[in-house]
């Protein structure tokens, strides 16, 4: 069993699950592993078999838990999957790392359609894998000829569908094919179509138009294929145009993280609706209602800290704030200790003490 970890700064080499620390129970094993310190914030893990050659039985995985022994950061999730996924299926499963206050990526089923002339007649002798790359990393090498679907054969053309489950890759940019064979042969590949299973569009088209001469006694052939073009639906074109507009508007916005400290005194909390206005040396913001706390469903309780994020026009360096509430609810008085505001674009922190 091996694992590959993906972080904001890159991915690890395959980590072998050999160093067993203990068997706490019959069905639970703890491993000690060492990761490079420069991976950054982890966002996905790939888990699977190094090889399926000697794998006769299947492995049922129920739960996964990982803890950083120095920071004690802990990540756990329920898997409930079996490896390989079918008798001829994928030897890998991927799952996103779900950190608190951070939206995890989702697991996506990709449909990869291969258009060729003669692969199907050679499929029992040929081994062919694809590694799909996108803005959020890659899928690793996935077998294309283990369990084919939607097989279509004509005189000069054929196609088949391979299914790959992976943590979402973002915008796709290339596919790397690896081809080997038990006997000498020639494989004629025309193109690849790649899309998410649940969506009609976009369809990423990778033009190949190449005949590969595979020699049984030589190393596997590796072919890198960049995306040729993308077929997008009309709605998606409009969505992309709108996204570009939003991004250009977002470049003129500043994000603030607002931490509100409610005092630890009797009757300090409030159920009233709290608002805030920020004043900078260039401008002031509109009124923001502080309703969606990142920590608590019921904000502004005694002795608690609530965090809010807002995006607004650029107003320069902060010099003051206005904060208050509408007096709603019984005994709505509120003891505010202080407000800390971080300007993420400038990496500046401002502290406003109140203590009343």
């Amino acid at each position: 069993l091996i694992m590959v970890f993906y972080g904001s700064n890159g991915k690890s080499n395959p980590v072998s699950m050999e160093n067993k620390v203990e068997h706490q129970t019959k069905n639970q094993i703890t491993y000690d592993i060492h990761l490079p310190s420069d991976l950054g914030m982890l966002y996905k893990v790939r888990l699977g078999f190094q090889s399926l050659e000697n794998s006769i039985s299947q492995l049922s995985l129920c739960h996964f838990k990982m803890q950083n022994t120095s920071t004690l950061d802990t990540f756990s999730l329920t898997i409930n999957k079996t490896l390989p996924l079918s008798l001829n299926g994928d030897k890998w499963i991927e799952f996103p790392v779900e950190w608190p206050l951070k939206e995890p990526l989702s697991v996506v089923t990709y449909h990869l359609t291969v258009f060729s002339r003669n692969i199907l007649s050679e499929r029992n002798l040929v081994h062919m894998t694809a590694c799909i790359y996108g803005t959020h990393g890659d899928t690793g090498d996935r077998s294309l000829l283990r369990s084919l679907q939607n097989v279509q054969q004509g005189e000069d053309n054929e196609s088949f569908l391979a299914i790959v489950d992976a943590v979402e890759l973002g915008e796709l940019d290339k596919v790397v094919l690896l081809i080997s064979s038990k006997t000498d042969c020639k494989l004629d590949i025309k193109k690849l179509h790649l899309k998410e299973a649940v969506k009609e569009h976009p369809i990423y088209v990778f033009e190949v138009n190449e005949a590969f001469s595979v020699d049984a006694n030589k190393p596997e052939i590796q072919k890198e294929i960049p995306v040729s073009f993308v077929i997008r639906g009309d709605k998606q074109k409009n969505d992309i145009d709108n996204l570009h507009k939003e991004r250009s508007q977002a470049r003129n916005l500043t994000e603030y993280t607002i931490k509100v400290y409610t005092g630890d005194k009797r009757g300090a909390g409030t159920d009233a609706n709290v608002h805030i206005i920020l004043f900078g040396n260039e401008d002031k913001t509109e009124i923001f209602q502080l309703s969606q706390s990142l920590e608590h469903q019921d904000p502004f309780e005694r002795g608690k800290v609530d965090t809010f994020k807002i995006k607004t026009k650029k107003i320069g360096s902060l010099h003051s704030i206005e904060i208050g509430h509408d007096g709603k609810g019984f005994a709505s008085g509120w003891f505010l200790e202080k407000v800390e505001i971080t300007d993420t674009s400038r990496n500046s922190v401002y502290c406003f003490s109140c203590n009343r």
Side-chain angles (χ1 to χ4, degrees):
L1 205 60
I2 58 176
M3 305 182 79
V4 180
F5 295 85
Y6 286 73
S8 51
N9 298 333
K11 69 175 182 178
S12 72
N13 290 324
V15 177
S16 178
M17 309 294 281
E18 293 174 334
N19 190 11
K20 293 180 185 177
V21 182
E22 55 185 317
H23 290 250
Q24 281 104 331
T25 65
K26 180 185 173 187
N27 297 324
Q28 183 173 326
I29 306 173
T30 301
Y31 297 91
D32 215 352
I33 60 172
H34 297 273
L35 295 182
S37 58
D38 57 355
L39 286 179
M41 175 73 101
L42 295 181
Y43 67 87
K44 86 166 177 177
V45 180
R46 186 184 309 127
L47 172 67
F49 295 120
Q50 187 134 24
S51 166
L52 285 180
E53 301 301 317
N54 306 317
S55 177
I56 300 164
S57 61
Q58 292 183 310
L59 175 66
S60 294
L61 299 161
C62 302
H63 198 75
F64 176 87
K65 180 177 177 182
M66 179 169 72
Q67 185 174 52
N68 182 324
T69 54
S70 38
T71 65
L72 299 186
D73 284 342
T74 303
F75 151 66
S76 64
L77 86 163
T78 302
I79 300 176
N80 289 335
K81 285 192 175 178
T82 300
L83 276 175
L85 297 179
S86 65
L87 282 174
N88 292 315
D90 205 338
K91 64 178 183 177
W92 297 104
I93 55 172
E94 290 193 352
F95 39 89
V97 176
E98 300 176 16
W99 297 113
L101 304 183
K102 192 169 173 63
E103 188 72 27
L105 296 170
S106 54
V107 176
V108 171
T109 299
Y110 288 98
H111 280 181
L112 175 60
T113 306
V114 179
F115 296 85
S116 65
R117 285 199 172 86
N118 64 338
I119 289 180
L120 294 171
S121 57
E122 307 281 357
R123 66 181 165 187
N124 293 326
L125 300 168
V126 171
H127 182 60
M128 187 172 170
T129 65
C131 182
I132 307 164
Y133 288 79
T135 49
H136 297 153
D138 60 76
T139 60
D141 296 337
R142 303 298 188 94
S143 175
L144 297 187
L145 298 176
R146 283 191 177 275
S147 49
L148 306 184
Q149 315 228 1
N150 287 19
V151 174
Q152 296 182 14
Q153 279 183 289
E155 259 183 52
D156 197 33
N157 292 304
E158 61 183 27
S159 67
F160 61 87
L161 174 67
I163 294 176
V164 175
D165 286 328
V167 171
E168 63 179 290
L169 293 164
E171 285 283 319
L172 306 181
D173 51 39
K174 70 176 178 181
V175 172
V176 174
L177 289 180
L178 291 169
I179 307 167
S180 60
S181 175
K182 294 176 182 173
T183 183
D184 295 353
C185 64
K186 190 175 245 186
L187 299 181
D188 198 338
I189 303 176
K190 298 165 79 173
K191 61 181 176 178
L192 313 174
H193 279 190
L194 189 53
K195 73 178 192 70
E196 291 184 27
V198 296
K199 295 179 182 175
E200 287 299 315
H201 296 94
I203 301 171
Y204 293 83
V205 180
F206 300 82
E207 298 279 6
V208 185
N209 295 320
E210 192 171 331
F212 298 92
S213 296
V214 189
D215 190 327
N217 300 314
K218 288 188 178 173
E220 61 188 356
I221 294 171
Q222 180 172 318
K223 175 70 176 178
E224 183 175 306
I225 310 150
V227 65
S228 304
F229 57 92
V230 183
I231 302 169
R232 304 189 188 273
D234 291 338
K235 180 182 179 301
Q236 192 172 26
K237 282 178 187 169
N238 292 335
D239 289 346
I240 287 169
D241 289 342
N242 291 335
L243 183 63
H244 288 318
K245 282 180 194 168
E246 285 169 15
R247 281 179 178 165
S248 119
Q249 287 166 356
R251 279 194 283 272
N252 296 320
L253 295 179
T254 298
E255 184 177 81
Y256 293 97
T257 302
I258 301 173
K259 282 184 178 289
V260 180
Y261 293 73
T262 298
D264 192 5
K265 293 176 181 283
R266 187 178 173 194
T270 186
D271 291 327
N273 299 305
V274 175
H275 69 265
I276 193 169
I277 304 172
L278 315 187
F279 295 84
N281 61 357
E282 295 173 17
D283 204 345
K284 70 173 186 177
T285 70
E286 65 269 38
I287 297 176
F288 284 97
Q289 297 297 325
L290 299 180
S291 53
Q292 300 289 320
S293 169
L294 296 179
E295 285 93 358
H296 309 110
Q297 199 164 357
D298 189 9
F300 314 118
E301 292 296 296
R302 174 180 173 175
K304 302 291 186 188
V305 181
D306 292 285
T307 306
F308 305 87
K309 286 187 182 290
I310 64 169
K311 279 186 180 173
T312 184
K313 60 189 175 184
K314 293 182 178 174
I315 60 171
S317 298
L318 300 189
H319 59 71
S320 58
I321 62 171
E322 177 189 304
I323 189 164
H325 63 75
D326 60 1
K328 182 186 170 190
F330 174 72
S332 61
W334 177 40
F335 190 93
L336 172 62
E337 188 179 305
K338 64 178 177 177
V339 179
E340 282 181 2
I341 301 179
T342 303
D343 180 341
T344 53
S345 63
R346 295 165 175 250
N347 209 16
S348 305
V349 182
Y350 303 87
C351 187
F352 302 91
S353 293
C354 181
N355 289 317
R356 71 175 91 167

